[in-house]
Amino acid sequence: MKTLQAIRGMPDTLPVDTGSWQWLERKVQDLVQSYGYQEIRMPILESTHLFARSIGEVTDIVEKEMYTFADRNGDSLTLRPEGTAGCVRAAVQHNLISTPQRLWYRGPMFRHERPQKGRLRQFQQIGLEAFGVATPDADAELIALSARLWRDLGVADAVQLQLNSIGSLEARAAYKAALVDYLSAFKGELDEDSQRRLETNPLRILDSKHARTQEFLTNAPNLHDFLDEESVNDFARLKAYLDGAKVAYTVNPRLVRGLDYYNKTVFEWVTTELGAQGTICAGGRYDGLVAQLGGKPTPGVGFAMGLERILLLLGAQGIEAPSTLPLAFGVGVGEAGERACFAGIEALRSSLPQFDIRLNTGAGSFKAQMKRADKSGAKVALIWGETEAQNNTVTLKFLRDDEPQITLANSLLAQELERISNTM
Ligand code: ATP
Ligand code: MG
């Protein structure tokens, strides 16, 4: 029989890697909570029309990346490709849209893309959404938070912030018309994707990867010449906040993002370390989305980061999660020794809950157990044999350094281990 395999692009995360995941997730969680973000957990399945209505019918995600199927009742459901739509849906449904409201979420997202390094079909995002504040201090706070995360993780030097304003819906519509007008003259010479987008989603042509298309864009109308006054002012204020907080950025007038719901601020954190999958975090303002999904008109701004790409970047930078090795490993020899060991280790777990303390299970010779103790990485083996069991004592054998072994009363063990841990 052929061995069963996980679905392509939907990898398992193995124990050797979960330590890094937990470390990263904890760092992000601590940071976002210190900014007042509260966690919300949404379902992974939503009605298909939620995404069509929010992300946009003619975006890459909705056109070709969604996992959509009919359930047993014939309802069209979709595995969420991103978190903002579901978060807004939940916030509207449960009356959480207040001013201000800061929410964050984490979990798997699903997109039917070509799997490659940093691009998966099931991938993990952490996303933040701030509702109710129309002023650019909200955008700036989110960006400053993300900048702080890169500093906390030690990758600040490997990432750059790309920033843009795409203006109001009206400004964008006017620009779109001008862009289509300009590009139509070269239509036959644009790449195939861009030709199609000229009809469906012309702004996306701006971030075409095709050199020839990019050449035509050099003299294209500039989005910034079309921005409305309010967007121009807000963008200036956003940049001033970032300057004040010493968050460096590059204004990229071609950055438009792939989702329809953005207006004004859009941004991406990019790295050159991960090839074509260089965006580790992206977001922007979406003042129309809450109303579009049935809530009362409320501004919003948010971003999502791709955890796989951040972990790849950490790896490329040689940054590892601090390793945590057990403090002690209990070895029990002979029936009485095993029982004393079991009781002794359980007692330690009560008195020293802050430490990682392991127990040998499944018996084995003294030699085999000591081998396991060593392999566990523990600092010290706690040995209970017949003699120790009889005398209510325990023998400590140091596995990492040359100290001589000692035997002491069970009652003194917790204190001694605490002393040893301070020398680690
Ligand atoms: P890309 O241009 O790389 O396709 P995107 O603009 O589609 O990214 P967003 O929808 O903005 O991505 O998602 C936010 C972040 O989630 C991205 O910046 C990236 O870090 C991560 N991400 C998006 N799609 C994938 C994927 N298929 N696999 C892994 N991470 C992803
Ligand atoms: Mg994409």
Side-chain angles (χ1 to χ4, degrees):
M1 200 175 102
K2 219 176 140 212
T3 36
L4 293 167
Q5 301 275 329
I7 294 165
R8 202 161 98 86
M10 301 197 176
D12 299 303
T13 303
L14 302 180
V16 287
D17 294 319
T18 46
S20 311
W21 278 91
Q22 290 172 357
W23 174 71
L24 173 61
E25 287 167 351
R26 204 163 297 139
K27 283 243 177 205
V28 179
Q29 170 169 348
D30 289 350
L31 178 65
V32 302
Q33 292 188 169
S34 78
Y35 274 71
Y37 281 81
Q38 293 181 290
E39 186 176 8
I40 181 166
R41 300 189 180 190
M42 298 89 66
I44 285 167
L45 277 177
E46 298 270 4
S47 279
T48 302
H49 76 255
L50 168 67
F51 301 113
R53 236 164 93 180
S54 54
I55 298 169
E57 295 277 5
V58 291
T59 56
D60 281 355
I61 293 179
V62 173
E63 273 190 335
K64 51 187 190 197
E65 294 175 0
M66 294 204 305
Y67 282 89
T68 296
F69 61 94
D71 77 358
R72 286 169 192 278
N73 302 326
D75 296 328
S76 181
L77 305 182
T78 294
L79 284 167
R80 62 183 185 192
E82 57 105 54
T84 302
C87 184
V88 171
R89 194 267 313 135
V92 171
Q93 182 178 338
H94 303 286
N95 274 319
L96 295 178
I97 303 274
S98 60
T99 303
Q101 174 69 273
R102 295 182 176 89
L103 299 175
W104 75 281
Y105 56 81
R106 68 174 125 199
M109 306 295 160
F110 302 83
R111 297 185 192 177
H112 196 273
E113 304 194 70
R114 192 170 69 78
Q116 52 200 292
K117 185 179 160 201
R119 190 174 298 284
L120 298 156
R121 290 180 169 174
Q122 171 172 330
F123 59 99
Q124 299 286 332
Q125 281 187 344
I126 288 183
L128 279 67
E129 315 291 351
F131 297 114
V133 181
T135 47
D137 49 347
D139 318 39
E141 189 187 50
L142 270 169
I143 293 172
L145 180 160
S146 53
R148 188 178 303 281
L149 177 64
W150 317 135
R151 290 199 298 275
D152 285 0
L153 294 174
V155 295
D157 290 341
V159 296
Q160 298 86 39
L161 173 60
Q162 303 254 320
L163 190 64
N164 195 21
S165 174
I166 57 173
S168 65
L169 283 180
E170 298 74 34
R172 228 150 77 219
Y175 175 67
K176 226 183 250 182
L179 184 67
V180 170
D181 219 35
Y182 168 83
L183 286 175
S184 295
F186 315 104
K187 182 164 182 197
E189 297 172 75
L190 301 177
D191 62 274
E192 209 176 293
D193 253 354
S194 297
Q195 291 193 24
R196 199 171 43 84
R197 283 176 171 155
L198 207 49
E199 317 280 324
T200 58
N201 196 352
L203 288 186
R204 289 290 280 167
I205 298 174
L206 294 182
D207 54 25
S208 162
K209 305 277 190 289
H210 287 81
R212 184 111 174 95
T213 300
Q214 279 296 333
E215 259 173 54
F216 289 120
L217 287 170
T218 321
N219 297 316
N222 188 327
L223 175 56
H224 284 191
D225 298 332
F226 289 75
L227 292 190
D228 52 296
E229 197 184 330
E230 188 181 273
S231 296
V232 171
N233 288 338
D234 282 1
F235 195 45
R237 286 172 65 200
L238 169 61
K239 287 186 287 184
Y241 283 122
L242 295 178
D243 292 338
K246 300 200 164 48
V247 177
Y249 52 85
T250 305
V251 174
N252 174 0
R254 302 236 181 119
L255 179 69
V256 288
R257 309 277 308 119
L259 300 83
D260 274 0
Y261 51 61
Y262 288 118
N263 67 309
K264 290 185 178 168
T265 312
V266 292
F267 65 93
E268 287 191 1
W269 284 97
V270 298
T271 174
T272 53
E273 304 266 333
L274 303 178
Q277 278 61 249
T279 305
I280 57 167
C281 173
R285 180 166 277 284
Y286 48 82
D287 293 332
L289 184 59
V290 174
Q292 203 177 315
L293 294 181
K296 66 173 198 290
T298 310
V301 54
F303 69 72
M305 54 189 133
L307 300 188
E308 287 84 359
R309 291 187 192 175
I310 295 174
L311 285 166
L312 284 172
L313 176 60
L314 287 165
Q317 297 284 103
I319 298 166
E320 282 178 31
S323 65
T324 47
L325 294 174
L327 174 60
F329 189 103
V331 168
V333 190
E335 215 169 286
E338 273 172 42
R339 271 201 306 275
C341 177
F342 192 95
I345 293 294
E346 275 301 306
L348 276 182
R349 287 168 171 162
S350 299
S351 45
L352 300 175
Q354 70 273 38
F355 293 119
D356 175 349
I357 295 169
R358 309 280 171 87
L359 169 71
N360 181 73
T361 53
S365 68
F366 174 69
K367 204 172 147 201
Q369 291 192 48
M370 286 305 289
K371 234 178 168 164
R372 287 178 206 146
D374 191 46
K375 209 173 150 205
S376 78
K379 170 106 176 148
V380 53
L382 310 176
I383 303 159
W384 282 273
E386 295 292 336
T387 321
E388 284 89 354
Q390 220 160 52
N391 301 340
N392 288 320
T393 56
V394 54
T395 296
L396 281 66
K397 197 166 163 34
F398 295 89
L399 301 170
R400 308 291 144 212
D401 32 40
D402 264 350
E403 273 181 70
Q405 69 175 47
I406 51 173
T407 298
L408 45 84
N410 282 337
S411 58
L412 297 176
L413 179 57
Q415 205 185 328
E416 179 62 12
L417 279 179
E418 217 164 359
R419 192 191 63 73
I420 291 168
S421 78
N422 287 331
T423 68
M424 271 167 95

